[in-house]
Amino acid sequence: MITRSVTIEDIDHLYLMWNGHINASALYRRALREEMDVRDVDPDELRDLLERAREQGYTLDEIAEDTNRFDDLQSLVEEQQNQPTAGDATDE
């Protein structure tokens, strides 16, 4: 898991202090899922593509550097998947 810093207003901080039972991390993730929904990104598909890219040897930093949206990640994974491996090359 990667931790990011998030700036919150004093009223947010106070409210969270009053309600220590609230999981701020879950609220943040819920807000991100809502943003994904607005942009028509299925979190399960995104998770699958990210896992496939990592299985292909990409690091999270490389993926972020080479892509900036869902379609880019999908293309990256499919291009790598369609690349012939050394064992697949045939001699002519």
Side-chain angles (χ1 to χ4, degrees):
M1 178 180 4
I2 295 175
T3 305
R4 296 260 185 233
S5 63
V6 176
T7 304
I8 61 172
E9 294 183 32
D10 286 341
I11 61 169
D12 303 328
H13 187 109
L14 179 60
Y15 190 80
L16 289 172
M17 289 172 71
W18 285 344
N19 296 283
H21 64 282
I22 293 176
N23 181 338
S25 179
L27 291 175
Y28 178 75
R29 286 192 311 274
R30 185 181 316 148
L32 286 175
R33 295 306 183 269
E34 289 172 4
E35 287 296 316
M36 287 181 192
D37 189 45
V38 166
R39 289 162 177 74
D40 238 2
V41 173
D42 182 325
D44 294 327
E45 288 181 38
L46 182 56
R47 183 177 291 110
D48 179 57
L49 283 174
L50 178 58
E51 287 175 10
R52 288 171 52 196
R54 285 180 161 169
E55 287 170 359
Q56 292 172 353
Y58 290 101
T59 65
L60 186 59
D61 288 337
E62 290 171 330
I63 294 167
E65 185 178 307
D66 294 343
T67 65
N68 66 6
R69 60 192 179 122
F70 183 87
D71 291 339
D72 292 343
L73 178 57
Q74 191 169 28
S75 293
L76 181 77
V77 169
E78 290 174 357
E79 286 173 12
Q80 181 69 20
Q81 190 172 330
N82 292 332
Q83 294 291 325
T85 61
D88 292 342
T90 57
D91 294 336
E92 292 183 21

